[in-house]
Amino acid sequence: MALTARSKEHPYSHLIDSLRDGSIKFFNPRKLNDPRYDKLPLSIRVILEAAIRNCDGFYTKQEDVQNILDWQQQQDKAEVPFSPARVLLQDFTGIPAMVDLAAMRDAVSKHGVDPAVVNPKCPTDLIVDHSLQIDFNKCAIQNTPNPGGGDSPNQTQASSRSTPSRPPSRGGSQCGGQRGSCSKTACSDPPTSSSQAPAFVQQIENTPLLCPFHLQPVSETETAVKNQEMELIRNKERLQFFKWCSKAFKNVNVVPPEVGAVHQVNLEYLSRVVQVSDGFIYPDSVVGTDSHTTMINGLGILGWGVGGIESEAVMLGQPVSLTLPQVVGCKLVGSINPLTTSIDIVLGITKHLRQAGISGRFVEFFGPGVSQLSVPDRTTIANMCPEYNATVSFFPVDQVALKHFKKTNFTQEKLEQLESYLKVVNIFRSYEEASEDPQYSEVTEINLSSMVPHVSGPKRSQDRVAISNMKEDFQRCLDEKLGFKGFHISKKNQEICVPFMHCGQEYQLAHGSVVIAAVISCTNNCNPSVMLTAGLLAKKAIEVGLMVKPYIQTTLAPGSGMVTHYLSASGVLPYFNQLGFEVVGYGCSTCVGNTAPLPEAVVDAIKQGNLVACGVLSGNRHFEGRLCDCVRANYLASPPLVVAYAIAGTVGIDFEKEPLGVTSEGREVYLCDVWPSREEVQQTEEEAVISSIFKDLRGRMEKGNKFWNNLECPDSVLFPWDPKSTYIRLPPFFSKLSKDIPAPQSIENAHALLFLGDKVTTDHISPAGSIARISAAAKYLQSKRLTPREFNSYGARRGNDAVMTRGTFASIKLQNRFIGRSGPKTLHIPSGQTLDVFEVADRYQRDGVPLIILAGKDYGSGNSRDWVAKGPYLLGVRAVIAESFEKLHKNQLIGMGIMPLQFLPGQNADTLELSGKERFSIIVPENMGPRHQLTVKTSKGASFCVMALFDTDVDLICFQHGGLHRYVAWTVLNSSSAPRPDRTECSTCP
């Protein structure tokens, strides 16, 4: 594509312009002299520029350029290509993509094609960040350290950073009320000898094995180091594969662990705003295997999340295909209340846009209110984009953004260059100039003055609650019937208080008691203002004598070391620590379900009283049961409110009327007494958040870490698959690959694997978090002679299809109408047995029976995940029939060769009187076109029509090839002229 951009035959070569001395060229859409260009939303202008620059007559045609230019008439009609500047992967979703590429090398090699031709053509960054688990927390080891992965860890590596020795425990002593210490129950059955513990545990403790809850407190640095050491050793096999990828594949950059979370690194290091390559300058843009890639739009960089399947196609040089979206202009007016944080604004905008019904659209912000938002505020808002189902939330570059860039790693020359370029092509905004406002599909207005502090929950991010109404709202949640908000607790049982012992003291738990308080990455740690507000609140609380009860699990998991840097520089980190919010490491932890176990006494008390215990976190995900099985109510809140609720110990509090706590002298302290002013926060931010934090990140990026630098990996073109590996396994997606295109096949006499209702999320479908000990995945790992402590997580094992397939639909919250209760079970219809979903699917596959899924509305909502489609495909699912689909998930199903079929309007499984136990036959014609209606016949003699949701010819081509994996491999087989060498460079492969 780059070659066509510079060739004389390029159809838009007459648009080539140059900056300054002519050394840097660019395609200038304004030279089209078309008045429609200056009326386009700026996000569409970025798509137009990419189409002009990459117009090669094959993937991108002149017709596509004209359709984009005619956006006002073609929105929601024309299908156009978009070639992003780069691809972003994080390790949980990135490892399957890289495993698939490695498998594709094997597949094309067997057909005589040089495997070295399989490389990402689009620059690809893979950030290793999602594997962090919290093994060490506060003063204790929260759970037995988990080396994982088979072989015993290297004790020499484990001891490279020794820890201070700890005194032996005194018989029968308690922890003296220290935070994180144990109760008698927790210590009732200590190991009788150190030989019972893994060698790594003995080594890092450097002391005889004691009751872990009796250890002395460790520093923030030591806690983080221990978690990082455990992460590196537990995931050594995966890291070796990543390092092989960085060496074997061209155009792949792997960011090693201990640098930061994917979104943070993308913002601080990888973002360019404009790219310069081969003498051409153009807007930076990105697609990533994470729905929160949208965060980058806060910098004026167009980007969104795609599935792993789509990202692989982009990596191999194919553009993203999208229907020209409607663009909703979100006009911000009014002034921000001094007590309102960016999280309050985020949750307010989330609710407003969710109600506006902007699913699948672009949102572009404009209006005078935008200038009041800092760039970190904008990235926070853009990060929550998937929660209101928009594709992107775009903030064009303005003067506020330029001032922010000056604090980062941009040189003055680069700043002048990007400003000059963006202004020439008219992708720069002055929000005060209404005359510059583009024409939008529609405009929605939000008054920032109306924003007041809110939390969101207890089960969904769109259910927003003002903190002034929190106490009453939680009471209503207890009263209401079981549903999106209700818990259906009888009035009699609402007054239950359960006493329990912890650290030698008696405490009580009731409905609404906070047991988890986590300040974590994703939505807010990129924003210094809210983190500093939380730190200053902690400081003021400590100074007046307030504390957090020791049984509450408190954690601080920043998105990157940058956060720790400025919290330390501002002097607030010690106050976080005193309240129990110690830095536990860098990466996604609580937010992705990697939560350390609660104290046993707390769990027993919750179960004894059937209590609705609460978690409060500053993340972006809080589906019921995600943090911990026994914590049913979870609220998203800004970091300062997480700290506030942790101090209060309950969500059932009215901060305006009730004290946050009482000092030892008996003085009541209210939230307003310890809430820092906006001026105080801004002053601290100016003093603490300086350009050195970005230089520090760049230094860590370039230096790497000792473990990564010394890590050995294979040196071969083909990856040497280890059949004994439980982390990395050759997937079966390319079996029976040929150069011929198979004819469409109808589905005959299929059984329904699952009969589901509305709002089935990707959390219900795709494996995430820990691996339950009684699950099908656990049985598989045990058959490989692994113990439960070696299971690791589903995220860490995304490169093993055997584990992930067994974890598909393994959510404890899955509501399957076949069995009438939540859980990862389903009905094997021929035998009438209720078994694990995998076991039922395996029986059907052995009998040669195809499978379908019946579902309700909004099937597949939630985070973008590739295994949400890969898993059902490997279970044998050929089609999903639902009332409606989340668009991204619909595309993922097509990408795996699964048909997304939609009931016709007014129809569903109930109106058609389907029991789900029928057998279903679906006739697929050879000449099927987009949006084709298909007939479904049942074994009971009934029939009904469904809409096949293939929106474009590209969708149909992908489906006809058996999915995007096979289509891409087929393209390589039929386009590559490179012969296979006489022998491969892999010494271990035949």
Side-chain angles (χ1 to χ4, degrees):
M1 288 183 288
L3 288 175
T4 59
R6 298 194 305 273
S7 67
K8 294 180 180 179
E9 293 77 18
H10 195 289
Y12 292 102
S13 59
H14 61 287
L15 302 184
I16 295 178
D17 212 336
S18 61
L19 289 178
R20 293 177 301 198
D21 60 359
S23 60
I24 299 179
K25 298 179 181 180
F26 63 96
F27 286 86
N28 189 352
R30 300 188 78 180
K31 292 181 71 174
L32 290 168
N33 296 318
D34 194 315
R36 292 176 294 179
Y37 177 75
D38 290 332
K39 291 299 181 181
L40 290 175
L42 275 72
S43 53
I44 300 299
R45 297 179 203 181
V46 174
I47 293 176
L48 176 63
E49 188 281 336
I52 290 173
R53 177 167 39 88
N54 292 287
C55 188
D56 60 359
F58 180 63
Y59 286 129
T60 305
K61 303 177 181 179
Q62 287 181 270
E63 178 186 356
D64 298 318
V65 173
Q66 292 303 314
N67 282 336
I68 299 171
L69 192 59
D70 194 29
W71 169 80
Q72 283 287 356
Q73 303 302 319
Q74 295 296 330
Q75 55 184 293
D76 276 348
K77 297 178 182 177
E79 193 78 14
V80 298
F82 175 58
S83 298
R86 54 194 175 90
V87 174
L88 181 71
L89 308 175
Q90 46 98 328
D91 57 4
F92 272 15
T93 50
I95 195 168
M98 302 311 297
V99 166
D100 292 343
L101 284 177
M104 191 183 299
R105 280 194 168 188
D106 278 38
V108 301
S109 177
K110 292 177 182 177
H111 285 266
V113 175
D114 182 1
V117 303
V118 178
N119 284 296
K121 294 182 180 180
C122 185
T124 301
D125 296 292
L126 191 154
I127 293 85
V128 183
D129 73 324
H130 269 53
S131 56
L132 177 67
Q133 296 183 38
I134 303 173
D135 295 288
F136 303 98
N137 185 357
K138 305 168 187 170
C139 75
I141 303 175
Q142 290 295 319
N143 57 353
T144 304
N146 175 4
D151 293 339
S152 299
N154 187 306
Q155 294 188 25
T156 302
Q157 291 175 337
S159 61
S160 62
R161 192 188 300 268
S162 61
T163 60
S165 60
R166 294 174 170 81
S169 72
R170 299 173 183 175
S173 67
Q174 296 291 333
C175 296
Q178 298 178 41
R179 284 193 47 77
S181 52
C182 73
S183 65
K184 291 181 179 179
T185 304
C187 302
S188 59
D189 190 21
T192 57
S193 72
S194 61
S195 62
Q196 295 179 2
F200 177 68
V201 180
Q202 301 174 45
Q203 188 65 43
I204 62 171
E205 288 307 315
N206 196 26
T207 184
L209 187 66
L210 310 172
C211 168
F213 292 92
H214 278 163
L215 302 179
Q216 295 298 310
V218 296
S219 67
E220 173 271 323
T221 303
E222 189 180 352
T223 303
V225 166
K226 285 187 172 187
N227 281 310
Q228 289 164 2
E229 286 179 340
M230 187 65 74
E231 172 191 358
L232 295 174
I233 292 178
R234 174 191 288 120
N235 294 287
K236 181 179 179 180
E237 189 176 337
R238 296 171 59 248
L239 295 176
Q240 286 176 320
F241 175 72
F242 285 141
K243 194 162 185 179
W244 173 83
C245 291
S246 68
K247 295 174 64 177
F249 291 112
K250 298 177 182 178
N251 255 350
V252 172
N253 171 47
V254 177
V255 178
E258 298 187 25
V259 173
V262 55
H263 312 303
Q264 200 72 39
V265 173
N266 192 24
L267 286 172
E268 299 171 18
Y269 184 80
L270 302 175
S271 63
R272 295 292 181 269
V273 186
V274 294
Q275 295 275 6
V276 179
S277 176
D278 296 329
F280 274 77
I281 187 171
Y282 50 93
D284 190 11
S285 57
V286 61
V287 293
T289 55
D290 193 296
S291 57
H292 295 280
T293 303
T294 54
M295 192 174 194
I296 202 66
N297 290 278
L299 295 182
I301 299 172
L302 187 64
W304 64 86
V306 297
I309 305 164
E310 297 92 337
S311 70
E312 292 171 39
V314 176
M315 290 160 63
L316 292 171
Q318 298 193 29
V320 174
S321 180
L322 74 156
T323 304
L324 267 178
Q326 294 186 28
V327 181
V328 177
C330 186
K331 187 174 184 179
L332 301 182
V333 299
S335 301
I336 299 175
N337 186 301
L339 295 180
T340 301
T341 69
S342 62
I343 301 302
D344 301 317
I345 297 172
V346 168
L347 296 178
I349 291 175
T350 297
K351 182 176 182 180
H352 183 100
L353 294 179
R354 187 91 184 192
Q355 293 173 339
I358 45 80
S359 178
R361 305 182 191 179
F362 282 17
V363 175
E364 189 167 299
F365 291 86
F366 73 109
V370 178
S371 298
Q372 300 178 55
L373 301 178
S374 67
V375 169
D377 288 340
R378 298 175 189 186
T379 58
T380 307
I381 293 167
N383 190 43
M384 289 292 280
C385 173
E387 307 306 327
Y388 42 84
N389 287 331
T391 302
V392 300
S393 291
F394 190 69
F395 288 86
V397 177
D398 66 343
Q399 289 295 336
V400 173
L402 287 181
K403 291 180 181 178
H404 172 80
F405 297 150
K406 290 180 181 179
K407 299 178 182 179
T408 66
N409 285 318
F410 286 94
T411 64
Q412 185 62 34
E413 180 183 4
K414 180 63 181 291
L415 286 172
E416 293 174 358
Q417 183 186 82
L418 73 86
E419 181 179 4
S420 176
Y421 168 72
L422 293 178
K423 286 183 176 179
V424 169
V425 296
N426 202 14
I427 310 182
F428 190 89
R429 272 303 319 250
S430 172
Y431 292 110
E432 305 299 330
E433 294 293 333
S435 62
E436 294 184 9
D437 292 349
Q439 292 178 351
Y440 295 108
S441 305
E442 63 179 80
V443 172
T444 182
E445 185 173 294
I446 298 178
N447 192 330
L448 297 176
S449 304
S450 65
M451 301 295 178
V452 295
H454 281 77
V455 297
S456 182
K459 301 180 183 181
R460 303 186 304 176
S461 57
Q462 63 264 36
D463 294 328
R464 214 165 140 251
V465 185
I467 60 171
S468 57
N469 299 329
M470 180 62 170
K471 185 174 183 177
E472 296 177 1
D473 187 82
F474 183 74
Q475 181 61 51
R476 284 194 293 270
C477 290
L478 295 179
D479 294 336
E480 288 182 10
K481 293 182 179 180
L482 194 65
F484 291 135
K485 290 201 68 170
F487 295 102
H488 198 52
I489 305 297
S490 66
K491 288 292 184 182
K492 176 182 177 182
N493 292 331
Q494 287 181 17
E495 303 302 321
I496 289 177
C497 288
V498 181
F500 68 97
M501 295 296 296
H502 184 82
C503 302
Q505 297 183 26
E506 183 175 289
Y507 298 92
Q508 288 189 337
L509 288 183
H511 293 291
S513 291
V514 174
V515 294
I516 296 176
V519 177
I520 56 182
S521 60
C522 291
T523 63
N524 49 65
N525 288 348
C526 65
N527 194 320
S529 64
V530 291
M531 292 298 292
L532 291 173
T533 301
L536 290 170
L537 189 152
K539 178 177 182 291
K540 291 175 179 288
I542 290 293
E543 290 174 343
V544 298
L546 299 182
M547 288 297 294
V548 175
K549 293 181 178 65
Y551 61 81
I552 298 177
Q553 185 189 102
T554 50
T555 55
L556 172 59
S560 80
M562 180 191 87
V563 182
T564 305
H565 179 97
Y566 67 67
L567 290 179
S568 178
S570 63
V572 299
L573 190 59
Y575 299 99
F576 264 128
N577 293 344
Q578 289 183 58
L579 289 182
F581 290 94
E582 287 190 340
V583 175
V584 295
Y586 305 104
C588 290
S589 52
T590 308
C591 198
V592 293
N594 290 339
T595 307
L598 295 174
E600 188 174 340
V602 172
V603 175
D604 290 343
I606 293 172
K607 292 180 178 179
Q608 179 181 338
N610 191 27
L611 299 176
V612 180
C614 297
V616 187
L617 61 152
S618 60
N620 56 33
R621 276 297 195 234
H622 60 7
F623 293 127
E624 185 178 8
R626 180 155 183 164
L627 300 189
C628 183
D629 291 350
C630 61
V631 180
R632 287 189 276 171
N634 298 296
Y635 289 90
L636 303 184
S638 64
L641 285 179
V642 171
V643 176
Y645 279 111
I647 295 172
T650 180
V651 299
I653 181 175
D654 185 341
F655 285 131
E656 295 181 357
K657 299 177 182 179
E658 299 176 72
L660 186 66
V662 180
T663 67
S664 57
E665 294 80 18
R667 182 170 71 89
E668 294 183 341
V669 179
Y670 290 79
L671 181 60
C672 62
D673 297 330
V674 293
W675 191 276
S677 67
R678 179 174 290 271
E679 293 74 21
E680 185 179 2
V681 173
Q682 289 177 342
Q683 181 180 353
T684 305
E685 183 175 1
E686 290 174 1
E687 296 173 353
V689 184
I690 55 178
S691 61
S692 63
I693 59 180
F694 294 94
K695 293 179 181 178
D696 176 68
L697 175 67
R698 181 177 293 274
R700 285 187 284 116
M701 281 283 296
E702 295 172 352
K703 182 180 178 181
N705 62 69
K706 185 176 181 181
F707 184 96
W708 176 262
N709 295 338
N710 295 333
L711 190 65
E712 296 181 355
C713 71
D715 185 13
S716 58
V717 174
L718 295 177
F719 184 72
W721 307 97
D722 181 0
K724 297 180 180 179
S725 174
T726 57
Y727 279 100
I728 310 295
R729 181 176 133 124
L730 178 65
F733 301 126
F734 301 100
S735 61
K736 300 180 182 179
L737 178 68
S738 72
K739 292 186 177 182
D740 299 325
I741 304 174
Q745 294 184 348
S746 298
I747 300 175
E748 299 287 348
N749 294 316
H751 268 305
L753 177 64
L754 297 161
F755 191 4
L756 307 172
D758 298 340
K759 299 287 184 181
V760 175
T761 71
T762 53
D763 265 24
H764 293 121
I765 307 170
S766 184
S770 60
I771 299 174
R773 297 190 178 194
I774 58 172
S775 64
K779 295 176 185 177
Y780 166 81
L781 292 174
Q782 287 171 336
S783 73
K784 300 297 181 181
R785 307 185 71 176
L786 295 182
T787 62
R789 71 177 56 187
E790 296 172 315
F791 285 174
N792 210 324
S793 65
Y794 282 116
R797 295 190 183 274
R798 285 178 102 97
N800 185 326
D801 63 277
V803 172
M804 300 303 288
T805 305
R806 286 164 172 78
T808 302
F809 294 111
S811 169
I812 61 171
K813 298 301 179 182
L814 183 71
Q815 297 285 341
N816 181 8
R817 294 173 64 175
F818 277 151
I819 61 174
R821 63 182 185 276
S822 61
K825 302 285 185 179
T826 195
L827 178 68
H828 182 252
I829 296 170
S831 68
Q833 290 182 290
T834 298
L835 304 167
D836 287 337
V837 174
F838 173 79
E839 293 179 24
V840 171
D842 186 52
R843 280 196 184 187
Y844 283 131
Q845 288 202 63
R846 282 189 275 116
D847 294 337
V849 178
L851 298 173
I852 67 167
I853 290 173
L854 296 175
K857 299 183 181 71
D858 297 327
Y859 181 80
S861 59
N863 275 356
S864 166
R865 293 179 180 167
D866 50 0
W867 276 104
V868 83
K870 287 181 177 179
Y873 169 80
L874 293 179
L875 287 174
V877 174
R878 298 279 305 281
V880 178
I881 306 177
E883 290 183 67
S884 62
F885 291 83
E886 190 77 9
K887 183 179 179 181
L888 180 59
H889 181 53
K890 180 212 71 169
N891 292 337
Q892 290 171 326
L893 291 175
I894 295 172
M896 286 308 305
I898 298 175
M899 288 195 295
L901 306 177
Q902 184 169 295
F903 289 109
L904 297 184
Q907 294 185 349
N908 56 37
D910 292 331
T911 62
L912 295 170
E913 299 182 348
L914 300 176
S915 68
K917 299 179 181 179
E918 306 90 342
R919 300 195 77 162
F920 299 83
S921 296
I922 306 169
I923 307 302
V924 180
E926 290 189 12
N927 60 345
M928 181 170 57
R931 311 291 290 189
H932 198 103
Q933 283 196 17
L934 303 179
T935 299
V936 181
K937 297 181 179 180
T938 73
S939 56
K940 293 184 178 180
S943 66
F944 58 94
C945 290
V946 293
M947 180 74 71
L949 298 184
F950 301 113
D951 295 326
T952 66
D953 290 334
V954 174
D955 287 347
L956 285 169
I957 291 173
C958 176
F959 172 72
Q960 289 168 358
H961 282 78
L964 194 56
H965 280 104
R966 298 172 69 86
Y967 173 62
V968 171
W970 177 87
T971 302
V972 173
L973 289 183
N974 287 274
S975 63
S976 177
S977 59
R980 180 179 179 178
D982 292 336
R983 64 176 187 175
T984 68
E985 295 182 32
C986 176
S987 61
T988 60
C989 295

